[in-house]
Amino acid sequence: MAKNRKGETSTIVEEIYPVISAAVAANKNSYRRNIAVFIDTHSKQLYDYAPVDRIYFRQKEVNDYFKAIKVNKADITNIAKTLYYYNEKEIEACKDEFSLSQLMAVRYFAIQQDATNTELSAMYLAFSGKFYASCHYRWFRQYCPKREVMDYVINYMLSKKFDLISEGSVWGAIRNLVKTWLESYKSIITGDKTSDEEIVYIIHQLYERIYAFMRNIAKLYYKAAEEKLYLNAESDNYDGEGGKYRVANNNSTKASEWTEKTMTYMTTSTVNVARCHSAAGKGVDAMELKSIFENILNDNDSIADLREVVNILLVDFMKNFPDIKDVPTSVEFIDYSIKMKPNTKDKDLIFLKNTILKWLNTSERYRSIRTPATLNNYYRGILTYIVLSINEANKG
């Protein structure tokens, strides 16, 4: 890491941050839509069970980013060139216009105490060209991993202590890493007098965590490849939890991908009024339904519960309709998922029910009436909005 020989400077916070914070605040919707497009474009790789394929972050993505926030990239370049370490040996993420700008977007939302957009912005940064993409290339420089070898690594060489196993996807593993990074360096990210040297330090910390994540998997992969170990799902007899292989197309991976696509869709767009009207049945005020979801999407704990509810709906349907492939976009998924299941003993469906009832208590209309009919109508309205959102998020 380059050492500061020119005194304590805060160029990034003092000059780049004001430009980016004002731009993101003024163009928040297009900023979030741009991230949603990136996630949707690379969803196959992001929600894969292992880092097999590359996630490319090309110049087009950089141009689209600056276009979305209406900032001239050249202005950031000119500021970056004045940094004390710019002409010294340093990782590209410390000099790159996109990386510095997006870190300042993370700072903006963290200062605003907007946990949802702070995490989303940090995930976007983590998966960009100078972080995840760079680390993947460094460890798999000549070619991408072979899936049958990676299958063996995932099933036989990684334990549950690895986030990749406990979370079930690349996105989930990096998300845990990013959350820890945000918590560890919150004071630097949001500090009034954060120096350029401190910014360089936290960039290194994020990069090195992603690098270590990739290194740990790559070393096992190359060991398995050298020993010609690979998984043959047709002949091998794997008897781990659930008796199923953790391969790219298993239900858990699919549900995780559909869940995260839904969460990205719901957290990067405003509550859809037309969908509220579609979900609102007899005795349900569509604007009240809109208010309920605005409360959910403005509370980090409620967002975590929403993610769980979405996943439960998908997994429950897949368990009962194993032959239907395009689960979230099927008519059967909508018909089945919006039906009330009052006598269920399934602990996940009970969690879903209790969570929706908790959200229902944020409705002024329900609290003022509290009749069984009102409860059932609003319960169905909330459930239907979520189901329709899952359906819409996974189209295309």
Side-chain angles (χ1 to χ4, degrees):
M1 184 186 299
K3 292 184 179 179
N4 187 338
R5 303 189 190 94
K6 301 181 180 180
E8 198 77 359
T9 61
S10 298
T11 303
I12 298 169
V13 165
E14 291 179 359
E15 297 187 34
I16 296 180
Y17 176 69
V19 175
I20 300 301
S21 61
V24 171
N27 302 282
K28 188 175 178 181
N29 289 338
S30 58
Y31 167 82
R32 299 204 309 178
R33 277 197 301 271
N34 182 63
I35 296 178
V37 168
F38 171 79
I39 294 173
D40 185 62
T41 301
H42 301 284
S43 60
K44 181 181 176 183
Q45 295 81 28
L46 292 170
Y47 305 126
D48 203 348
Y49 70 107
V52 177
D53 299 322
R54 300 199 197 284
I55 297 177
Y56 293 101
F57 198 88
R58 298 184 172 91
Q59 188 59 46
K60 180 183 184 302
E61 277 84 3
V62 175
N63 293 342
D64 288 346
Y65 170 77
F66 284 106
K67 182 179 179 181
I69 60 174
K70 296 185 171 71
V71 167
N72 186 348
K73 179 186 163 207
D75 293 342
I76 306 301
T77 303
N78 291 335
I79 298 172
K81 286 180 178 179
T82 69
L83 294 168
Y84 75 86
Y85 59 80
Y86 191 81
N87 294 317
E88 299 180 19
K89 187 176 180 180
E90 186 53 90
I91 63 172
E92 286 298 312
C94 294
K95 304 176 182 181
D96 172 56
E97 299 93 339
F98 171 85
S99 301
L100 293 173
S101 297
Q102 184 56 16
L103 179 56
M104 292 301 97
V106 173
R107 170 183 166 87
Y108 167 74
F109 287 116
I111 289 174
Q112 299 298 313
Q113 298 183 347
D114 184 339
T116 300
N117 282 308
T118 299
E119 182 182 304
L120 181 67
S121 298
M123 288 293 284
Y124 185 40
L125 175 65
F127 278 111
S128 64
K130 307 305 180 184
F131 289 90
Y132 182 92
S134 172
C135 293
H136 191 281
Y137 180 75
R138 287 186 66 178
W139 279 105
F140 301 104
R141 188 178 297 268
Q142 295 182 340
Y143 55 85
C144 289
K146 294 180 179 178
R147 209 164 270 282
E148 61 270 24
V149 178
M150 189 63 83
D151 284 343
Y152 186 92
V153 172
I154 296 296
N155 282 283
Y156 292 116
M157 302 178 78
L158 291 181
S159 67
K160 278 193 172 182
K161 72 177 183 179
F162 287 88
D163 286 342
L164 193 59
I165 300 301
S166 61
E167 295 299 322
S169 68
V170 172
W171 177 275
I174 298 298
R175 182 168 176 260
N176 278 358
L177 178 156
V178 163
K179 288 172 71 174
T180 302
W181 175 77
L182 285 170
E183 292 166 5
S184 300
Y185 302 107
K186 182 179 179 181
S187 62
I188 294 177
I189 293 170
T190 61
D192 290 337
K193 299 180 180 179
T194 296
S195 68
D196 294 331
E197 194 162 16
E198 288 175 309
I199 293 293
V200 168
Y201 175 72
I202 63 173
I203 288 174
H204 271 264
Q205 287 301 309
L206 180 58
Y207 182 89
E208 288 166 12
R209 287 163 193 246
I210 298 172
Y211 183 85
F213 161 81
M214 204 68 70
R215 177 193 63 209
N216 292 339
I217 297 165
K219 284 186 173 182
L220 293 175
Y221 173 84
Y222 287 121
K223 183 177 187 296
E226 184 179 356
E227 297 177 11
K228 295 181 170 55
L229 300 172
Y230 63 94
L231 185 66
N232 185 340
E234 296 298 323
S235 61
D236 289 355
N237 181 24
Y238 175 65
D239 59 355
E241 286 191 21
K244 294 182 180 178
Y245 292 103
R246 287 193 284 273
V247 295
N249 292 323
N250 68 15
N251 285 351
S252 176
T253 301
K254 286 182 179 179
S256 176
E257 176 181 346
W258 291 328
T259 297
E260 293 304 331
K261 284 188 75 172
T262 302
M263 292 307 300
T264 300
Y265 172 77
M266 294 185 74
T267 57
T268 56
S269 56
T270 57
V271 178
N272 189 290
V273 176
R275 193 173 305 125
C276 286
H277 281 284
S278 297
K282 182 180 179 181
V284 176
D285 183 343
M287 292 299 101
E288 188 69 18
L289 201 58
K290 176 176 179 286
S291 177
I292 291 172
F293 277 98
E294 286 174 342
N295 288 336
I296 292 171
L297 295 172
N298 284 319
D299 178 72
N300 212 36
D301 291 335
S302 294
I303 289 174
D305 287 340
L306 178 60
R307 177 179 278 105
E308 189 70 20
V309 165
V310 169
N311 191 255
I312 289 170
L313 287 167
L314 288 163
V315 171
D316 178 57
F317 180 82
M318 294 167 80
K319 182 172 62 177
N320 287 282
F321 297 86
D323 296 329
I324 295 179
K325 294 181 179 180
D326 298 323
V327 172
T329 56
S330 68
V331 174
E332 292 87 350
F333 172 70
I334 296 175
D335 289 343
Y336 172 80
S337 299
I338 64 175
K339 289 178 181 176
M340 307 284 274
K341 302 174 182 68
N343 300 318
T344 183
K345 294 182 180 179
D346 185 294
K347 62 181 178 64
D348 290 329
L349 293 179
I350 292 172
F351 172 85
L352 180 151
K353 177 181 178 180
N354 290 337
T355 300
I356 292 180
L357 291 176
K358 179 177 67 176
W359 293 334
L360 186 51
N361 280 315
T362 66
S363 166
E364 292 183 10
R365 179 177 172 82
Y366 170 68
R367 288 201 309 268
S368 66
I369 301 175
R370 285 186 180 274
T371 65
T374 306
L375 184 150
N376 289 335
N377 290 340
Y378 270 87
Y379 181 97
R380 185 185 291 275
I382 293 171
L383 180 61
T384 301
Y385 183 91
I386 295 171
V387 171
L388 292 177
S389 295
I390 295 171
N391 176 267
E392 184 64 30
N394 289 281
K395 287 180 178 177

